[in-house]
Amino acid sequence: MKKIICLILVFFIIFTVYFSLSGAAKTVKLRLAETHPADYPTTKGDLEFARLIKERTNGRITVDVYPGAQLGEEKAALEQVQLGAIDFTRVSVSVTASFAPKLNALQLPYLYRDADHMWKVLNGPVGNELLASMDSANFIGIGWYDGGTRNFYTKKLVKSPADLKGLKIRVQQSALMVGLVESLGAVATPLPYGEVYSALQTGVIDGAENNFPSYLTQSHYENAKFYVKDAHTRVPEILVGSKVSLSKLAKRDIEIIKKAAKDSLPLQIKLWNAYEKESETKVKAAGCTVTELSAKEVQAFMDAMKPLYDKQPKDIMEVVNKVRAVK
Ligand code: GTR
C-alpha cells in the first residue's frame, strides 16, 4: 500500500514539474479596450480577433474585449497600454500618432486615390514599417481595421471651406488634426470622443468630423444636422498591443496574435461597409441633410488643405511619397 502511495506521489510531482516547466498548463488572460459599443463593426472585429487567438492557442490565451470606453477614452487607454496595465486597445490612428509620430502620415488629407489604394498601402511594406515604428513608443503595432472616410458635420449647411470659416470644430486629440481644421479657417477644439455629444448639445462647438457610423452611434447627428461628404481623410483604425505585457509571451504567440488580427480584417471590412451604408440611411431618415459634393467642390477642400503638406517634417513626407508610389 505504502509503495502505491509513494508511486502516485512521484507521478504527481513529475507531472506538476513537467507542466510548470513546459508552460503547457499556463493560461493567459488579456484585456482589450474598445471605445465603440458592442455591436459596432470594430468591436465585432475585436471579438473575431479574440476568437481566433483562443482557437489557435487551444484556449491557452484569451482576450476579453471591453467595449464602450469602459477602460477609458482612447488617449488614456493608450497610456495604460504603454504601461502594460491594459494589453490591447483598438483606437484611431489619429490619437496614436501623438505617441508614434510617423503615423501622422496616415491622417493627411486626400492621401489615397481610394479605399483599395489605402489597403494596398496598409497591407504592404509601408503598413508594416508604420506598425514597426510604434516599437519606440513601447507599443506593438498589431494590425489595421477600416474606419472609412471622415467628413465634416455642423449645425449649419457647409458646402465649401469658406462656410467653415470661424466655426468651432471638434477634432481628435491630435496636433495634425488641429492643423488640418485651421487650414480651413475654422477653430479647432480637441476633445475626447465621449465629450463630443454634450459639446454639440451645449454649443461649445459648432460641429465635428467623423464617419457615418460614429455620427450615428454617438447621436452627434441630433445636434449637428448637416453632414457634408468632403471625405477629407481616410484614417484607419489600429489594434495596438502593449510591449510591456506582450513581451512576457513566446515570440510564436505574438505571431499568432498578429496573424489573428490580419485574419479578422476581412470580416471587419465587410461589416464596416454594410454599417457605413446603414448609418447613412438612418441619419437621413432622422432628418439630417447629407450634402454630396461635385469634383470641383471637393477640389476647393483639397486646395485649402494642401499647405498642410508643406509643413510636414522630412520623415513624414518620405512616408507620403512611398504611399503615392503604391499603384
Ligand atoms: C471614430 C473612431 C474612434 C474615435 C473617434 C473620434 O471614427 O473609430 O476610435 O477615434 O472616431 O473621433 O474620437
mmCIF file of all heavy atoms in Angstrom, residues 278-294:
data_model
loop_
_atom_site.group_PDB
_atom_site.id
_atom_site.type_symbol
_atom_site.label_atom_id
_atom_site.label_comp_id
_atom_site.label_asym_id
_atom_site.label_seq_id
_atom_site.Cartn_x
_atom_site.Cartn_y
_atom_site.Cartn_z
ATOM 1 N N GLU A 278 -25.719 51.612 -43.883
ATOM 2 C CA GLU A 278 -26.886 51.603 -42.997
ATOM 3 C C GLU A 278 -26.966 52.895 -42.171
ATOM 4 O O GLU A 278 -28.038 53.485 -42.023
ATOM 5 C CB GLU A 278 -26.779 50.381 -42.066
ATOM 6 C CG GLU A 278 -27.982 50.185 -41.167
ATOM 7 C CD GLU A 278 -27.764 49.031 -40.187
ATOM 8 O OE1 GLU A 278 -27.057 48.051 -40.538
ATOM 9 O OE2 GLU A 278 -28.285 49.130 -39.056
ATOM 10 N N SER A 279 -25.832 53.355 -41.678
ATOM 11 C CA SER A 279 -25.877 54.558 -40.834
ATOM 12 C C SER A 279 -26.169 55.812 -41.654
ATOM 13 O O SER A 279 -26.837 56.724 -41.166
ATOM 14 C CB SER A 279 -24.626 54.708 -39.976
ATOM 15 O OG SER A 279 -23.486 54.335 -40.665
ATOM 16 N N GLU A 280 -25.719 55.835 -42.904
ATOM 17 C CA GLU A 280 -26.068 56.976 -43.763
ATOM 18 C C GLU A 280 -27.594 57.012 -43.962
ATOM 19 O O GLU A 280 -28.230 58.063 -43.835
ATOM 20 C CB GLU A 280 -25.346 56.874 -45.123
ATOM 21 C CG GLU A 280 -25.736 58.014 -46.050
ATOM 22 C CD GLU A 280 -24.926 58.098 -47.346
ATOM 23 O OE1 GLU A 280 -24.007 57.276 -47.530
ATOM 24 O OE2 GLU A 280 -25.229 58.989 -48.160
ATOM 25 N N THR A 281 -28.171 55.849 -44.253
ATOM 26 C CA THR A 281 -29.627 55.773 -44.450
ATOM 27 C C THR A 281 -30.361 56.221 -43.182
ATOM 28 O O THR A 281 -31.336 56.977 -43.250
ATOM 29 C CB THR A 281 -30.027 54.303 -44.786
ATOM 30 O OG1 THR A 281 -29.221 53.883 -45.873
ATOM 31 C CG2 THR A 281 -31.489 54.190 -45.141
ATOM 32 N N LYS A 282 -29.854 55.768 -42.034
ATOM 33 C CA LYS A 282 -30.542 56.086 -40.770
ATOM 34 C C LYS A 282 -30.495 57.579 -40.438
ATOM 35 O O LYS A 282 -31.489 58.131 -39.984
ATOM 36 C CB LYS A 282 -29.924 55.284 -39.622
ATOM 37 C CG LYS A 282 -30.408 53.843 -39.615
ATOM 38 C CD LYS A 282 -30.024 53.146 -38.344
ATOM 39 C CE LYS A 282 -30.701 51.787 -38.266
ATOM 40 N NZ LYS A 282 -29.987 50.856 -37.398
ATOM 41 N N VAL A 283 -29.349 58.229 -40.669
ATOM 42 C CA VAL A 283 -29.295 59.657 -40.319
ATOM 43 C C VAL A 283 -30.151 60.486 -41.284
ATOM 44 O O VAL A 283 -30.760 61.476 -40.883
ATOM 45 C CB VAL A 283 -27.848 60.221 -40.219
ATOM 46 C CG1 VAL A 283 -27.096 59.550 -39.088
ATOM 47 C CG2 VAL A 283 -27.083 60.137 -41.524
ATOM 48 N N LYS A 284 -30.223 60.021 -42.530
ATOM 49 C CA LYS A 284 -31.100 60.719 -43.492
ATOM 50 C C LYS A 284 -32.547 60.565 -43.037
ATOM 51 O O LYS A 284 -33.319 61.533 -43.039
ATOM 52 C CB LYS A 284 -30.928 60.139 -44.894
ATOM 53 C CG LYS A 284 -29.680 60.652 -45.617
ATOM 54 C CD LYS A 284 -29.597 60.013 -46.989
ATOM 55 C CE LYS A 284 -28.411 60.480 -47.787
ATOM 56 N NZ LYS A 284 -28.088 59.565 -48.893
ATOM 57 N N ALA A 285 -32.914 59.359 -42.621
ATOM 58 C CA ALA A 285 -34.282 59.109 -42.171
ATOM 59 C C ALA A 285 -34.602 59.938 -40.925
ATOM 60 O O ALA A 285 -35.749 60.304 -40.682
ATOM 61 C CB ALA A 285 -34.469 57.628 -41.891
ATOM 62 N N ALA A 286 -33.550 60.254 -40.157
ATOM 63 C CA ALA A 286 -33.756 61.049 -38.931
ATOM 64 C C ALA A 286 -33.813 62.549 -39.241
ATOM 65 O O ALA A 286 -33.898 63.370 -38.335
ATOM 66 C CB ALA A 286 -32.643 60.742 -37.943
ATOM 67 N N GLY A 287 -33.742 62.901 -40.535
ATOM 68 C CA GLY A 287 -33.915 64.302 -40.928
ATOM 69 C C GLY A 287 -32.628 65.069 -41.169
ATOM 70 O O GLY A 287 -32.661 66.291 -41.324
ATOM 71 N N CYS A 288 -31.483 64.383 -41.227
ATOM 72 C CA CYS A 288 -30.224 65.095 -41.492
ATOM 73 C C CYS A 288 -30.078 65.403 -42.979
ATOM 74 O O CYS A 288 -30.563 64.647 -43.823
ATOM 75 C CB CYS A 288 -29.030 64.251 -41.042
ATOM 76 S SG CYS A 288 -29.010 64.020 -39.280
ATOM 77 N N THR A 289 -29.386 66.499 -43.268
ATOM 78 C CA THR A 289 -29.102 66.857 -44.656
ATOM 79 C C THR A 289 -27.699 66.346 -44.986
ATOM 80 O O THR A 289 -26.717 66.791 -44.384
ATOM 81 C CB THR A 289 -29.135 68.395 -44.827
ATOM 82 O OG1 THR A 289 -30.426 68.847 -44.410
ATOM 83 C CG2 THR A 289 -28.875 68.814 -46.264
ATOM 84 N N VAL A 290 -27.621 65.397 -45.920
ATOM 85 C CA VAL A 290 -26.319 64.877 -46.347
ATOM 86 C C VAL A 290 -25.990 65.502 -47.701
ATOM 87 O O VAL A 290 -26.713 65.290 -48.677
ATOM 88 C CB VAL A 290 -26.328 63.336 -46.428
ATOM 89 C CG1 VAL A 290 -25.012 62.816 -46.992
ATOM 90 C CG2 VAL A 290 -26.603 62.735 -45.053
ATOM 91 N N THR A 291 -24.938 66.305 -47.733
ATOM 92 C CA THR A 291 -24.593 67.037 -48.955
ATOM 93 C C THR A 291 -23.514 66.311 -49.749
ATOM 94 O O THR A 291 -22.422 66.048 -49.226
ATOM 95 C CB THR A 291 -24.102 68.466 -48.599
ATOM 96 O OG1 THR A 291 -25.107 69.083 -47.798
ATOM 97 C CG2 THR A 291 -23.846 69.296 -49.835
ATOM 98 N N GLU A 292 -23.846 65.980 -50.990
ATOM 99 C CA GLU A 292 -22.851 65.386 -51.905
ATOM 100 C C GLU A 292 -22.113 66.553 -52.564
ATOM 101 O O GLU A 292 -22.729 67.572 -52.864
ATOM 102 C CB GLU A 292 -23.555 64.593 -53.028
ATOM 103 C CG GLU A 292 -24.525 63.534 -52.557
ATOM 104 C CD GLU A 292 -23.867 62.198 -52.244
ATOM 105 O OE1 GLU A 292 -22.695 62.019 -52.628
ATOM 106 O OE2 GLU A 292 -24.532 61.364 -51.597
ATOM 107 N N LEU A 293 -20.830 66.396 -52.829
ATOM 108 C CA LEU A 293 -20.081 67.476 -53.485
ATOM 109 C C LEU A 293 -19.642 67.048 -54.878
ATOM 110 O O LEU A 293 -19.331 65.872 -55.099
ATOM 111 C CB LEU A 293 -18.843 67.827 -52.662
ATOM 112 C CG LEU A 293 -19.065 68.413 -51.256
ATOM 113 C CD1 LEU A 293 -17.715 68.687 -50.597
ATOM 114 C CD2 LEU A 293 -19.892 69.692 -51.292
ATOM 115 N N SER A 294 -19.596 68.011 -55.786
ATOM 116 C CA SER A 294 -19.058 67.717 -57.119
ATOM 117 C C SER A 294 -17.532 67.653 -57.018
ATOM 118 O O SER A 294 -16.955 68.118 -56.021
ATOM 119 C CB SER A 294 -19.450 68.837 -58.085
ATOM 120 O OG SER A 294 -18.794 70.028 -57.689
#
